[in-house]
Amino acid sequence: MDPSSSRRKGSSDETAPMSDSGSSSAGASKKHRPILLSAAAVAQADGDPRFVDLSSSIVPPLRSFAIEASHPLIQSWAPIRARILTILDQSRIRWSSLGVLRRRQTLKQEDDDTTIVLVVQKGNNIEIVERVEEGIYQACRSTGNPELFVEVLVGGVTRFDETEYEAKASGGSSLSPTEVDYIAGTLGGYVRLMEANGSRVFAVSCHHVIMPNRLDTPNEYPEAVAPGLGHHIHVSQPSVMARARNISEQREALLRHDERVKELQEEVEYKPWKARDLEVAENALRMVGNGLQKALDFDHRFGTVFATSGYKISTTLRCALDWALVDVQYTRRGENKVPELERKPPGYEALSEGGAVVGVDQLSMDDYVVKAGYSSGTTYGRHSHIKHDCNLPGNSSLTSEFVVVGHKGRPFALKGDSGAFVLNSYGKLVGLLIAGQEELNTAYVIPMTEVMRDIQQVTGHQVTLP
């Protein structure tokens, strides 16, 4: 996004998002967002210019921040949303998500930065998109909210589907169908199904990770797998793609280290003081070789599919349901653990890092959350207080998704993180990550209570944590 643009936001086949500003064709004034044109100006506004590249000419982008529980728009969003959805339906443009976030360049909030964000898909007529934008402004004014910004971006909702060699696989590691090398997702963790004659533990990820659509038929989405009928679908951990990439990288590293050892072996004959360097290089070569051999020998067979949700929508919350259960080999089964954080930000003082997940809780509007994903690792963020309307790939109708915004406007998730468990600041399991809006650095999360309710309805068994 180019915040310095003087045009209104809109879209075309090639354009990136346009900035919000200017006056409409109808002559109605819009609220101008103040734009800082350099990284130095942003750092100065935040009060910490120590580590800024003063020579950079790139205009800093807008960052996304969560809507707090006390925000007055929460009470008035419903009628605004209804009007905007009517406008979108009448316009017939293709769009991905609609929601509200705080959007600003700086970490510190000084002015009201509340922004209605519409993400449209590529290929829409720019004039129609601009009329939609003007309609949103009019909806804001007519409902008594003329102070709101409106931002239109071009993009699409991404189902986050993108190395580690541990016998007992833990949450945050990669997995994929064994027969697929073009997709990978995240192992969230484990749940227990209480059966008549005992109980069984299953690994949890997303349906779209375990049952991806084929490359040759990208618009055909696989249906749900009924309980017990997926034993022929094998799952690998780490994923086939991650394992192949890791082995390739280790082979390249082995060649580099081998060449270095040969160079030093020649030098040491007439430079005896190079003997220590040669010893270090030989040790490094052995370590890389051992790592490669471990990767080649590792049995990545993880289990088979037990059941999946398919692409469906919760009848109570109107959010997407996208889960998969994997019947794991006993020797590969790990534990549900709280991710390790490099440092605890404010709001996470009660989090017991590395400890066991202590239970399941409701996804609260006040939650500070943390997750471990295959692609982005451990990240933390906050649940935003206004849900986003989404056209998710695979779902036939509009869904209403719970939104998590990364800490300080950073990404909460990346491609490959679908399936990650999301915990609150007390270490309780509150959600399953299923998708995200990369243009906004936001992630979409299903409440874990809703996931477990649906699993129980599909399988007929009570669901608990192991």
Side-chain angles (χ1 to χ4, degrees):
M1 184 179 66
D2 178 8
S4 65
S5 171
S6 61
R7 296 181 297 173
R8 295 179 298 163
K9 291 184 296 295
S11 72
S12 67
D13 288 356
E14 287 91 19
T15 58
M18 304 179 202
S19 72
D20 50 344
S21 65
S23 59
S24 72
S25 57
S29 61
K30 298 180 181 179
K31 184 179 178 183
H32 290 256
R33 187 194 303 275
I35 295 298
L36 300 175
L37 299 180
S38 70
V42 170
Q44 193 67 42
D46 280 329
D48 189 8
R50 294 173 295 171
F51 306 107
V52 174
D53 181 7
L54 299 179
S55 64
S56 175
S57 61
I58 299 175
V59 177
L62 298 176
R63 306 182 188 187
S64 297
F65 297 85
I67 298 294
E68 301 86 357
S70 58
H71 198 293
L73 186 63
I74 293 176
Q75 303 300 322
S76 56
W77 172 238
I80 302 174
R81 170 182 175 268
R83 295 193 183 197
I84 296 174
L85 289 177
T86 300
I87 293 169
L88 291 170
D89 186 54
Q90 292 174 347
S91 72
R92 298 186 178 276
I93 65 169
R94 297 184 303 279
W95 59 280
S96 299
S97 66
L98 168 70
V100 182
L101 295 167
R102 291 191 178 278
R103 295 276 286 166
R104 60 182 182 271
Q105 293 171 293
T106 60
L107 297 178
K108 292 182 179 179
Q109 177 190 343
E110 296 182 355
D111 301 315
D112 188 11
D113 49 24
T114 307
T115 306
I116 295 177
V117 184
L118 172 67
V119 181
V120 300
Q121 298 176 17
K122 292 182 178 180
N124 287 297
N125 182 293
I126 189 170
E127 294 182 356
I128 298 177
V129 172
E130 288 182 340
R131 287 200 294 271
V132 167
E133 181 196 16
E134 175 56 30
I136 295 174
Y137 272 109
Q138 291 178 0
C140 294
R141 289 191 294 270
S142 64
T143 55
N145 296 276
E147 74 285 354
L148 294 175
F149 291 109
V150 176
E151 186 177 358
V152 179
L153 299 161
V154 180
V157 176
T158 302
R159 293 230 187 233
F160 284 143
D161 40 321
E162 253 306 80
T163 293
E164 55 297 327
Y165 297 98
E166 299 177 357
K168 294 186 177 296
S170 56
S173 55
S174 70
L175 82 171
S176 74
T178 301
E179 302 300 321
V180 172
D181 62 358
Y182 55 86
I183 194 172
T186 294
L187 163 64
Y190 301 88
V191 296
R192 183 186 302 276
L193 266 59
M194 308 301 296
E195 300 176 335
N197 299 321
S199 65
R200 297 168 66 187
V201 174
F202 297 90
V204 181
S205 188
C206 287
H207 166 81
H208 77 267
V209 171
I210 301 302
M211 299 292 294
N213 52 328
R214 292 166 46 185
L215 292 177
D216 57 347
T217 54
N219 295 320
E220 294 182 12
Y221 296 93
E223 297 180 354
V225 176
L229 298 184
H231 56 84
H232 62 289
I233 306 170
H234 296 268
V235 177
S236 292
Q237 189 289 316
S239 68
V240 175
M241 184 173 70
R243 180 172 179 267
R245 182 168 55 199
N246 180 259
I247 289 174
S248 176
E249 291 172 350
Q250 291 200 61
R251 280 177 170 153
E252 291 176 2
L254 188 68
L255 289 175
R256 291 196 302 270
H257 283 279
D258 186 57
E259 291 174 0
R260 179 59 177 159
V261 166
K262 290 177 180 178
E263 290 174 0
L264 289 171
Q265 286 173 339
E266 293 178 0
E267 288 185 28
V268 79
E269 294 182 3
Y270 55 90
K271 295 180 181 179
W273 58 87
K274 289 283 188 178
R276 176 56 182 162
D277 291 345
L278 175 60
E279 182 182 352
V280 172
E282 288 175 336
N283 286 335
L285 179 62
R286 279 193 293 272
M287 290 179 62
V288 174
N290 291 339
L292 175 59
Q293 195 59 50
K294 180 180 179 181
L296 292 170
D297 293 342
F298 187 80
D299 185 358
H300 58 92
R301 293 175 295 180
F302 186 58
T304 57
V305 174
F306 175 71
T308 74
S309 63
Y311 296 95
K312 62 182 182 180
I313 301 173
S314 165
T315 57
T316 54
L317 300 179
R318 299 303 301 165
C319 63
L321 287 168
D322 185 353
W323 54 262
L325 298 181
V326 179
D327 193 359
V328 184
Q329 298 183 37
Y330 178 77
T331 56
R332 301 288 329 268
R333 188 194 308 162
E335 299 176 338
N336 293 328
K337 290 188 176 182
V338 177
E340 299 277 354
L341 296 177
E342 292 185 4
R343 61 182 182 85
K344 285 185 182 180
Y348 293 82
E349 293 80 6
L351 192 66
S352 177
E353 300 174 61
V357 175
V358 295
V360 179
D361 205 349
Q362 296 286 338
L363 180 59
S364 167
M365 288 296 187
D366 291 318
D367 275 344
Y368 288 89
V369 295
V370 61
K371 73 101 184 71
Y374 160 57
S375 292
S376 60
T378 300
T379 59
Y380 38 95
R382 192 172 184 184
H383 184 196
S384 190
H385 279 250
I386 293 181
K387 295 167 71 176
H388 284 197
D389 296 290
C390 296
N391 286 302
L392 287 172
N395 288 107
S396 58
S397 58
L398 198 65
T399 63
S400 183
E401 302 301 332
F402 295 84
V403 184
V404 171
V405 179
H407 183 61
K408 293 186 176 180
R410 299 168 184 149
F412 184 72
L414 300 172
K415 286 184 178 180
D417 288 338
S418 280
F421 276 1
V422 178
L423 311 181
N424 65 16
S425 58
Y426 297 95
K428 291 189 175 182
L429 177 58
V430 295
L432 181 69
L433 194 152
I434 61 163
Q437 190 76 65
E438 292 183 296
E439 294 77 16
L440 299 173
N441 285 339
T442 54
Y444 300 134
V445 175
I446 316 173
M448 198 63 196
T449 51
E450 187 68 6
V451 173
M452 295 174 78
R453 183 201 64 77
D454 193 58
I455 292 175
Q456 180 169 338
Q457 185 175 29
V458 170
T459 64
H461 302 299
Q462 181 183 355
V463 187
T464 66
L465 293 184

